[in-house]
Amino acid sequence: MLNKLSDTIYYLSNQDDKERPTLGLVCGDRYSLIIDTGNSTQHAKDFSLEIEKLNVPPVKYVVITHAHWDHFLGMNEFDATVIVNSKTNEILKEWQSLSYDDSSLQNYVTTNQMSAMCMKIIQTDMSNRDCFKLNSPDVIFENTLTIDLGNKVCILESIKSTHTDDSTIIYIPDEKVVFLGDCAYGTTTNSLFHYKQSLLLPMIKDIQKYDAEMFLLGHESICDSNEMNKYWEELTTASQVARSTSLENAIVSFKAENKRDPNDNELFFIKAFVNDHIIHSQ
């Protein structure tokens, strides 16, 4: 079931148990635009069935927020113009060369090209996977791109991110809504979860320049400005005390600077920023 954010914006909520991220739909007077296509052909089909229940203009555009499999593997299901930034396009080229039979999938997992969860989803939710080949995007942009759906403008921007190097956000000015994809999250490198500390403040700046009141994230669905500001504050506070590979020193610094113990979120973020130092020291 689609959630209605406004008369022109809908979203399909994330399902963490199925590794399904939030998918978005923005409707103008003439056309509609989809944000991310899901983790499989089945996910995309489920989304399409929900869209068909609405009286909205035809889907003309699809935007992929970044090239992580759970956000684009349903791409072939939509007869629309697929838009990605240039970095996302380069990563998708790798996926276009893959085979999806069991033997190939197992090999990709063994060689760390693919996660075991990704293989499982492909095996259960991808139809005709023995002959499946990911389509190529139709429009590739560098920094920003503006799309008019008919009295409904969408601004696409490729931004710096603590999650991935190819993040695109989508801002709808008249609604003060921004789709963030996964850009505000951390990532895992060498089995260590971390936030890219050097990109945190540039990312926040890129996002906060937009006058937004509602934020849709890949795996939380929706946050208001107060919730996002709290998230930024906790991340920033944690980042400021993580100056080395020592978690103990970071916690001591936090207590000294804030006159209190870190809460659970802050402690999680501190560990992630310390991990970032560990990764860079290796």
Side-chain angles (χ1 to χ4, degrees):
M1 177 178 172
L2 291 183
N3 301 283
K4 183 177 181 179
L5 184 59
S6 71
D7 288 340
T8 60
I9 298 179
Y10 302 82
Y11 65 96
L12 187 66
S13 292
N14 61 299
Q15 295 176 269
D16 289 343
D17 60 324
K18 295 184 177 182
E19 203 75 21
R20 290 185 168 188
T22 303
L23 306 181
L25 175 69
V26 183
C27 308
D29 290 343
R30 291 177 296 173
Y31 308 114
S32 296
L33 175 147
I34 282 174
I35 298 165
D36 283 334
T37 62
N39 69 357
S40 60
T41 52
Q42 188 58 54
H43 192 191
K45 287 176 180 177
D46 293 346
F47 189 33
S48 293
L49 287 173
E50 294 299 326
I51 295 173
E52 289 173 7
K53 297 175 184 178
L54 304 174
N55 182 25
V56 299
V59 174
K60 185 174 182 179
Y61 302 103
V62 166
V63 180
I64 305 298
T65 59
H66 63 295
H68 283 169
W69 64 273
D70 52 325
H71 293 259
F72 68 77
L73 275 181
M75 191 169 75
N76 289 13
E77 292 301 308
F78 298 98
D79 183 18
T81 299
V82 177
I83 304 171
V84 301
N85 70 49
S86 58
K87 291 181 179 179
T88 296
N89 183 56
E90 291 304 310
I91 301 170
L92 290 181
K93 287 179 181 177
E94 300 173 14
W95 284 82
Q96 288 162 11
S97 68
L98 300 185
S99 299
Y100 294 84
D101 58 277
D102 285 338
S103 177
S104 296
L105 292 175
Q106 186 58 62
N107 182 58
Y108 301 146
V109 172
T110 301
T111 56
N112 294 318
Q113 291 176 266
M114 180 183 292
S115 69
M117 175 60 78
C118 179
M119 178 178 71
K120 178 182 177 182
I121 296 296
I122 290 173
Q123 289 173 326
T124 57
D125 286 355
M126 296 285 285
S127 58
N128 301 319
R129 60 185 175 86
D130 285 345
C131 59
F132 178 83
K133 180 175 174 59
L134 189 70
N135 291 341
S136 297
D138 302 292
V139 174
I140 300 161
F141 72 98
E142 286 299 330
N143 298 309
T144 63
L145 181 67
T146 299
I147 296 179
D148 188 353
L149 302 175
N151 201 33
K152 181 68 58 179
V153 169
C154 298
I155 300 172
L156 285 54
E157 182 178 2
S158 176
I159 71 163
K160 300 175 183 67
S161 168
T162 54
H163 181 68
T164 180
D165 293 333
D166 70 313
S167 290
T168 291
I169 63 173
I170 300 92
Y171 176 60
I172 302 94
D174 66 327
E175 302 277 7
K176 295 187 176 182
V177 171
V178 60
F179 284 83
L180 295 177
D182 290 357
C183 73
Y185 301 139
T187 189
T188 299
T189 304
N190 300 334
S191 300
L192 287 177
F193 178 79
H194 65 114
Y195 280 81
K196 298 174 183 177
Q197 192 173 36
S198 64
L199 296 179
L200 177 65
L201 295 182
M203 176 185 70
I204 294 174
K205 182 179 179 181
D206 280 344
I207 295 171
Q208 287 189 330
K209 71 184 178 188
Y210 292 109
D211 181 17
E213 295 177 354
M214 301 302 293
F215 302 80
L216 287 104
L217 293 95
H219 299 276
E220 261 82 25
S221 288
I222 189 164
C223 296
D224 62 24
S225 55
N226 289 332
E227 290 171 314
M228 282 307 302
N229 287 336
K230 181 67 173 176
Y231 181 68
W232 299 140
E233 180 184 345
E234 290 181 337
L235 269 175
T236 303
T237 302
S239 175
Q240 289 170 343
V241 300
R243 306 182 183 102
S244 71
T245 59
S246 171
L247 177 60
E248 181 181 358
N249 288 349
I251 293 174
V252 168
S253 294
F254 184 97
K255 291 179 180 180
E257 294 178 18
N258 296 279
K259 304 299 188 287
R260 61 176 177 84
D261 291 333
N263 63 35
D264 289 344
N265 287 340
E266 290 163 335
L267 183 58
F268 176 81
F269 296 147
I270 290 170
K271 291 178 180 178
F273 286 118
V274 168
N275 284 344
D276 193 56
H277 283 276
I278 291 172
I279 289 166
H280 284 290
S281 70
Q282 292 174 340

